[in-house]
Amino acid sequence: QKEVEQDPGPLSVPEGAIVSLNCTYSNSAFQYFMWYRQYSRKGPELLMYTYSSGNKEDGRFTAQVDKSSKYISLFIRDSQPSDSATYLCARDNAGNMLTFGGGTRLMVKP
Amino acid sequence: ETGVTQSPTHLIKTRGQQVTLRCSSQSGHNTVSWYQQALGQGPQFIFQYYREEENGRGNFPPRFSGLQFPNYSSELNVNALELDDSALYLCASSLGTRGGNEQFFGPGTRLTVL
């Protein structure tokens, strides 16, 4: 079993839709979880990170961690074509060494 | 403040050759991590350097080695290249090794091994 798993997609939604991206992880010892966005031919950029459980909101983005079910979610409200990218979830081993999921490719159609 | 830069952008090598990839960290960052990203997959952690010392390593063989210099720039060296080494190699810099510190990624070097 991979430590962090994601549905690879692609996920195609119309502009303005609410997008839900999900990851599961296997090791409950870790506390830091991140979401990165990666455009084609670019390096990943940090969108959000959360510590332990709960929700964190930043503009149109909400990150959620449910430690009891080992589930990480990212919600994007009012999705835009510019949100089309690959979304990577990651956990931090507390030494700043990241384990990534395989990424979910999102396409937002105008 | 400049971002993370990597060179070269693209590289083509043949099996058995050796390659050196370079990374220039964001100003003031003393920690650099290297990742390998195969096509269609997420990045995989190779190793991390903190203040010129290897601070952690992922599941990669010893033919993957690195260096970090006093100015915090770094190199990734891969010996005896194999076809499966074809990937995008990403470096990421951060300030310190504490969990949750933001890592800033460079654009990557795309290595093709023929």
Side-chain angles (χ1 to χ4, degrees):
Chain A
Q1 182 187 13
K2 290 185 180 179
E3 288 194 51
V4 181
E5 298 210 52
Q6 281 184 264
D7 185 333
L11 179 63
S12 182
V13 301
E15 183 176 355
I18 297 174
V19 176
S20 172
L21 302 167
N22 304 296
C23 278
T24 58
Y25 62 96
S26 60
N27 190 330
S28 57
F30 301 107
Q31 304 282 357
Y32 296 97
F33 301 93
M34 285 90 165
W35 282 97
Y36 281 82
R37 177 175 63 194
Q38 186 174 25
Y39 291 111
S40 182
R41 302 184 184 282
K42 301 280 189 182
E45 57 176 331
L46 181 66
L47 272 178
M48 304 198 54
Y49 86 89
T50 57
Y51 173 73
S52 193
S53 284
N55 291 1
K56 186 173 182 179
E57 190 172 317
D58 184 2
R60 296 186 295 114
F61 299 90
T62 300
Q64 195 173 73
V65 177
D66 182 343
K67 292 199 80 177
S68 61
S69 58
K70 297 180 185 175
Y71 213 72
I72 313 164
S73 300
L74 178 71
F75 299 96
I76 307 174
R77 290 180 296 281
D78 187 25
S79 57
Q80 303 294 311
S82 58
D83 294 328
S84 297
T86 296
Y87 289 80
L88 298 156
C89 63
R91 63 94 175 137
D92 188 328
N93 73 344
N96 223 210
M97 303 170 202
L98 303 180
T99 298
F100 285 89
T104 299
R105 192 156 66 93
L106 172 67
M107 294 185 292
V108 181
K109 297 188 175 179
Chain B
E1 182 178 277
T2 58
V4 179
T5 58
Q6 293 186 244
S7 62
T9 305
H10 296 92
L11 202 52
I12 299 175
K13 291 285 189 178
T14 55
R15 227 170 8 169
Q17 285 189 309
Q18 178 266 341
V19 70
T20 297
L21 310 181
R22 293 180 174 82
C23 173
S24 179
S25 297
Q26 187 153 315
S27 178
H29 284 185
N30 54 16
T31 305
V32 66
S33 301
W34 285 90
Y35 296 83
Q36 179 195 66
Q37 187 175 24
L39 197 61
Q41 297 183 25
Q44 273 195 288
F45 174 72
I46 303 174
F47 45 56
Q48 180 186 87
Y49 277 78
Y50 172 65
R51 292 185 175 178
E52 303 174 56
E53 298 283 335
E54 187 177 295
N55 187 52
R57 190 176 185 93
N59 189 26
F60 280 81
R63 60 189 185 84
F64 286 79
S65 63
L67 280 173
Q68 187 183 29
F69 301 101
N71 66 354
Y72 301 135
S73 65
S74 66
E75 288 181 354
L76 164 66
N77 299 289
V78 187
N79 293 322
L81 284 166
E82 300 177 0
L83 297 180
D84 283 350
D85 295 333
S86 295
L88 181 68
Y89 288 85
L90 297 159
C91 75
S93 74
S94 59
L95 184 58
T97 61
R98 186 175 63 87
N101 280 351
E102 182 172 357
Q103 295 193 36
F104 293 83
F105 282 82
T109 292
R110 186 161 296 281
L111 172 65
T112 302
V113 182
L114 301 175

